[in-house]
Amino acid sequence: MNPSTSNTSASFDADFFAKAWSFLVAARLELALFCVALVAHFLLFGNYSPRKAKPKSKRVPTSAALPNSFSNKQEVQDALEDAARAGQHKQVLHCWSALKKFSVNCSVPLAAVVEAMLRVKKDRDFIIRELRDFFTNNKSPTNIDMINDLLEFFAKRYDQELNELILGLVSTLGETLNQRSYEILLNMYFTSRNFDEVRRVLERSKKAGVPLTTRASLVVIKTALRTNNFEAALEHFRALKSLWNGPAMQGPSMAPRHIVAQLVDMACKEHELQRFLPELASVPLSEDAVHSMVSEAVRAQDTKLLKEVHALAVSKDIIFSESTYGLLIKGFKGDDALVEKIFNEAMEKHPAAGSEICLALLASCAQTHNFDLAEKAYKCFQGKMPLAMLSAFIRFHFEVENYERVCDLYERDAAPLREKAASEGRSVLDARLERSVMNAALKCGRSTLAQALLTDNPSDIAKHITMIRNCAAEQNLPAALEVFVSLKQSGVELNSVVYNTMLDACVECNQLEKATSWMEQMKKDGMTDVVSYNTLIKAHLLANGFQKARSLVEEMVAAGFQPNCITYNEIVNATVSSHDRRVRSQVFTVLKEMQAAGVKPNQVTCSILLKSLNSHSLPSEISQTMDLINCMDEQIDEVLLSSVVEACVRIGKPDLLHTKLKQLMTGDTIKVNGSHTFGSLIKAYGHARDVDSVWRCWREMRNRRIKPTSITVGCMIEAVVSNGDPSGAWDLIQEMGDDPQCKGILNAVIYCSVLKGFTREKNYARVWAIYEEMQRRDIDLSIVTYNTLLDCCARCSRMDGIPRIIEDMNKAKIKPNLITYSTMLKGHCQGGNLTAAFETIKEMKEEAGLKPDEIMYNSLLDGCAQSGLVEDGLRVLEEMQAAEVPPSNFTLSVVVKLMSRARRVDQAFKLVTDLSEKYKISPNSHVYANLVQACCFAKQLSRGLRTLEEMVERRVHPDKRTYAMLARCAVQQGQYDKASGLLRGALGMAGALPFLAHNERVATCPDLDGNTVSENISAMSGSVEGNQIAAALIADIKREKPHVWIDSKVQRRVLSGDQDCDWQEQSRPQTKGKGKGKSKGYRS
């Protein structure tokens, strides 16, 4: 080695060791940790040495286990079963292969074979082929059992796909599923929550006629419960009741009871408990199920159902819990005897009962004011009464206004607790209840107790406010002021609420001046707010200081307070309620001020305006109110919806009602949930003649299980009857009478609506049948019902039915009233039996002590007119005046008719003149029409025309009957020019009689029809002179009033000069609008 090589090698070694040393220095921490770990491992596990694993000895199959070594079928089956039990899947498949050479019937654990195939990764197609071949070669009665084993095996594995393939295989092999098959399938699909498949399998079993096993039926019931199918659950429950009552129920299994509890819950949820309850008579019940049924009966307020549930539970010796007893007492609230019985039973079963039973009992006692039962309960709980129960008793006696007892309870039972409470710095009772005690003390004059309560907490603002309000309620303003002063002197910091309470006390005591001066004091103390101004505004409005109230609004704004909806709603309400028309006319001015102040009208504002609308409201007021509702930001709720439709009904404009209903009910903006709102809608649709919508509302309410009230049912029946379908209304009553939910709400008023409907149709038989039905159902009949029956007898001329009605009234101890006698009187007069009519008047005066009214006298006068009894009629008129019963226009028209039939025209005019002057009556169109008729009957045309002239001068519009009578009379007397002048005046044409032309606006008769014109023109054409006048009239009508219909045959006859044609054979039936057929009248 030369020196250079040696130097190079030494240099390399030195460099290597230097780098190695640097690495060790850098990694010293890691190396140290590694060494520590080695030492720790040695210390912990140094003595442990792993055992050597023994190699598994492979089991070599014996000669008996080899596939080719089996001599018969039994050996193969035994070997396969042994291999299956040992979990040797390959051995199972070897045995399965060996079994194929035996074609005779055999029973094989196919589930184990299929499991072995799955373990060795055989696919589903291979498995199904193997099974198909096996069942094809193995025709055995036990095949379906082996298939069921397979189905159960795959059901446990949740392998529904393979099960479907096996079911397909069953169909191919011609096998039939049995009860176990359907049980396995139903349970599998239910476990996987595949309820659609459960229903499909159930339908398949029904179609195949295979009855379900008990377990399968339970699965079906559970499915129905899961899917809320009460009908299906009830159907299968009925089938299983006999099984559940058998020996199966004697064991420890509680599955049936569990199912019963779930069925009860569903029946309650679906409101079908009344229907389901009889099914529970023969099955065991749990206390929870009974509690659920009691809760449902109490919720539905169905006392009859509650009694049935209670009787069922008692028959099964169910021990009620305290909560159930509380519900029973709540449900039987109002039946003191039953409540007391249940309370005694509850105290016997639960001597240490808590407040739940006590509260329920006190609620019942509060409804019936049964102080004895409440006192009995108090004695039962005395000595062990917690504070909550004491509070309940105090609250009960306060609510029933038994103030002395409130004070006694507080002083006696709260005294032991008072000292302890005071030491802990708290009150015996809560603040609200203490205020109630203080109120009671003030009301019963125990001022010492009230003062003691205040002394205990001199700075309790709430108590002082209560004291001030009580003083105000007693109109004792000085005492209220003393309470305020004492509170102020206590040093507590006062707020605006106390000041506002004192201001409200001044208003309550009607001390407006004191209220105004107190408001000034509040301003000085800086305690005014919006409530203060609202209270003072309310005070001025109550004193009719409308302008002062409006000036206070301006003052409020100037003081920096923003008026709110309450401010303006008070003013709006006072405005629309005012009797001064000038004040009422300013309502929309107030609304403009409201909007200008940035305060938007709300639902209360709209409700106030709607309640002020009626048939006399101006169109502008109606439209402005409706526009205000449309522009309102708030969503329309049920209350406002009811107000809108009721206002539209009051206004009496069907078009407006129909339009508003369509606008409100379009879309889903308003969700109607209340029976009252449905009643308002039904009533509105009835007035709008929208019968389809009436029934739609009713069906929607019933489908949503909203229980109707008597008012809702009354609205429905009235709507159906008023639209001409009393039969439909009666069918509805029959349907509701069979509905347990609605039996209690049918009353005499509802039945009476149907009676009135059939009475208007003069259907005497139906009215009488309904009356008998009401008697069978023990409906409490009122005087209105009997009067309706009497009206039916009068309208149908069946006065022979009156004695029985009067007899029934006497049995029911209902005394006839004025309407009763008036109705009988009307019937006798219409039947021409004036003797019976006068006897009725005599009986009413002597037996009932009643005096006839105007309607009865008018009926008598009309009866005398129809029978031609003039002198009797005049005596009735004299008696009417002697009895100080003022006549009306109807009386005058009947008197004129009476005189007219006796041909006493002068006396008719005299009576009208005298009675009009005496009783300040302005005769109307009916009175004048009867006077004109009397003139025409007496052939006094000129007097009839003078009467018409007087009529139009008095601004009374003549009707078409008046013109028709006068024109006919003029034609009959040959005064064709006057007949033409009358027709021209009625049509508003030129050439009218002078007094008609002078008062054209009053004289024009828009109701004059074409038949009247055609009849008179035809009658005039019977002479040459009349025909000429008729032709001129036709020409003028065509020119000036082309819309007036004139019979075409009459026109041809007049224009052709044919004077022999009879009008009665040519006249067209009265019609409006265009003519039909070949006979066309003239029309522009």
Side-chain angles (χ1 to χ4, degrees), residues 606-840:
C606 296
S607 296
I608 293 170
L609 293 172
L610 287 168
K611 289 176 182 178
S612 68
L613 296 179
N614 52 44
S615 58
H616 302 294
S617 299
L618 298 175
S620 59
E621 295 175 346
I622 298 170
S623 61
Q624 285 179 287
T625 303
M626 296 304 170
D627 291 342
L628 191 67
I629 296 171
N630 296 334
C631 299
M632 188 178 61
D633 290 341
E634 296 181 15
Q635 183 73 28
I636 296 179
D637 61 1
E638 285 190 62
V639 177
L640 186 57
L641 173 63
S642 298
S643 299
V644 171
V645 295
E646 288 171 4
C648 292
V649 170
R650 287 197 306 273
I651 291 169
K653 293 185 178 181
D655 294 339
L656 173 64
L657 178 58
H658 182 77
T659 303
K660 205 64 188 175
L661 283 172
K662 186 176 180 181
Q663 175 188 345
L664 291 172
M665 301 310 294
T666 301
D668 300 327
T669 54
I670 304 175
K671 184 69 172 178
V672 180
N673 294 312
S675 176
H676 173 76
T677 310
F678 273 110
S680 298
L681 287 172
I682 288 170
K683 180 180 178 181
Y685 281 123
H687 279 270
R689 302 292 178 184
D690 190 350
V691 183
D692 292 339
S693 296
V694 167
W695 284 105
R696 177 179 55 78
C697 282
W698 177 259
R699 285 192 295 269
E700 181 183 350
M701 182 182 70
R702 301 295 284 148
N703 290 338
R704 290 170 54 191
R705 300 186 182 277
I706 297 173
K707 184 177 180 180
T709 62
S710 297
I711 297 174
T712 310
V713 176
C715 291
M716 180 64 191
I717 297 300
E718 184 63 31
V720 176
V721 170
S722 62
N723 282 279
D725 187 16
S727 297
W730 175 240
D731 292 341
L732 182 59
I733 288 179
Q734 295 287 87
E735 176 187 331
M736 295 178 67
D738 297 333
D739 186 352
Q741 189 185 19
C742 302
K743 276 186 178 178
I745 61 179
L746 294 176
N747 53 32
V749 177
I750 295 170
Y751 279 95
C752 201
S753 296
V754 183
L755 287 174
K756 290 177 181 178
F758 284 119
T759 297
R760 285 192 288 267
E761 292 184 352
K762 297 185 177 181
N763 194 335
Y764 181 79
R766 291 297 296 273
V767 169
W768 208 256
I770 294 172
Y771 173 53
E772 292 174 347
E773 177 75 13
M774 293 172 72
Q775 290 178 319
R776 283 194 297 272
R777 292 192 176 184
D778 294 328
I779 302 296
D780 292 331
L781 303 181
S782 64
I783 185 64
V784 178
T785 309
Y786 288 111
N787 288 342
T788 304
L789 293 170
L790 292 171
D791 186 45
C792 178
C793 293
R795 288 173 182 259
C796 300
S797 301
R798 292 293 303 270
M799 303 301 289
D800 55 313
I802 286 183
R804 178 185 167 183
I805 298 173
I806 297 298
E807 182 182 352
D808 290 346
M809 288 178 68
N810 292 333
K811 289 180 181 178
K813 297 182 179 180
I814 296 178
K815 294 182 179 180
N817 60 10
L818 194 64
I819 298 175
T820 308
Y821 288 108
S822 179
T823 306
M824 291 192 292
L825 178 70
K826 181 182 68 174
H828 290 310
C829 291
Q830 289 177 349
N833 191 352
L834 268 297
T835 302
F838 283 109
E839 286 294 328
T840 301

Side-chain angles (χ1 to χ4, degrees), residues 495-496 499 520-529 561:
N495 54 28
S496 60
Y499 278 88
E520 295 300 323
Q521 182 64 41
M522 290 176 66
K523 291 178 183 177
K524 292 178 181 178
D525 295 343
M527 291 294 177
T528 56
D529 57 10
F561 298 108

